[in-house]
């Protein structure tokens, strides 16, 4: 869907530019944007590599496991039907930690692994693997809400584009993501509670 949306927006822009005689501006914009994209890619590659390395060191040093144990009460509240010793728990905790540090790109691998493990769990339970479970939906929503103490990616963006005070975004982003995380948490609890009630009702009817 997004591919069609972006293609339509680009096509509309080109058509309007052609009708108004601004095709030269379009060509110049494409060239300038391509240059900026490559430069930004190098900057973000360095940032992501550094923090992925830090997370790898933290994992080998046992810090991720220690933080996962500290997060267990929260994870149990968020995922009441997910066994705490399951492998998905570690990936979910690692993903949340990366998100809290503002490393949106760096948390992608752990997010994918968490979803794979949650899918395996559904298969072990004998459920339809093509239907997203409550745990999957909850994880996705909490991942999108993304509480961030330090927005590393955003600071890198602002630095790349010459911001006078790149870290000025830290306070507003913390407040905004704190609100979205609380809202996401309550939405997940309400929806999952309703989903659980429906599942129990279907089981009783059978």
């Amino acid at each position: 869907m997004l591919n069609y949306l972006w293609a339509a927006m680009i096509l509309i822009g080109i058509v309007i530019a052609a009708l108004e005689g601004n095709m030269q501006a379009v060509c110049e914009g494409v060239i300038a944007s391509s240059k900026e994209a490559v430069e930004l890619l190098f900057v973000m590659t360095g940032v992501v590599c550094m923090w992925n390395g830090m997370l790898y060191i933290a994992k080998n040093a046992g810090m991720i496991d220690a933080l996962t144990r500290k997060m267990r009460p929260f994870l149990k509240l968020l995922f009441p039907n997910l066994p705490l010793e399951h492998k998905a728990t570690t990936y979910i905790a690692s993903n949340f930690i990366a998100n809290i540090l503002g490393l949106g790109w760096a948390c992608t691998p752990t997010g994918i692994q968490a979803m794979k493990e949650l899918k395996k769990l559904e298969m072990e339970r004998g459920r339809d693997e093509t239907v997203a479970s409550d745990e999957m939906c909850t994880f996705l929503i909490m991942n999108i809400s993304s509480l961030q103490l330090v927005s590393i990616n955003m600071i890198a963006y602002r630095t790349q584009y010459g911001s006078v005070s790149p870290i000025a975004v830290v306070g507003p982003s913390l407040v905004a993501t704190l609100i979205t995380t609380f809202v996401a948490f309550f939405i997940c609890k309400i929806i999952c509670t309703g989903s659980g009630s429906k599942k129990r009702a279907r089981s009783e009817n059978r």
Side-chain angles (χ1 to χ4, degrees), residues 141-206:
I141 294 172
M142 294 301 297
N143 185 277
I144 294 172
S145 69
S146 183
L147 172 63
Q148 296 183 359
L149 296 180
V150 183
S151 304
I152 299 296
N153 286 352
M154 187 57 65
I155 292 173
Y157 286 134
R158 290 168 62 85
T159 301
Q160 172 65 17
Y161 289 107
S163 173
V164 177
S165 180
I167 63 173
V169 73
V170 173
S173 66
L174 175 59
V175 174
T177 56
L178 188 63
I179 293 172
T180 58
T181 299
F182 272 113
V183 172
F185 174 78
F186 287 113
I187 289 175
C188 289
K189 297 305 293 182
I190 292 171
I191 293 177
C192 289
T193 300
S195 175
S197 300
K198 290 180 180 179
K199 289 178 180 178
R200 286 191 295 270
R202 285 197 297 265
S203 299
E204 291 175 357
N205 291 334
R206 290 176 184 175

Side-chain angles (χ1 to χ4, degrees), residues 86-89 91-92 108-124 129 133 136 139:
H86 197 274
K87 190 180 294 185
T89 304
Y91 287 123
I92 290 173
T108 300
T110 53
I112 293 173
Q113 290 298 324
M115 280 297 191
K116 288 181 178 179
E117 292 300 326
L118 291 174
K119 181 179 178 180
K120 291 179 182 178
L121 181 61
E122 288 302 288
M123 294 173 64
E124 293 171 2
E129 62 183 70
S133 63
M136 290 179 179
F139 173 64

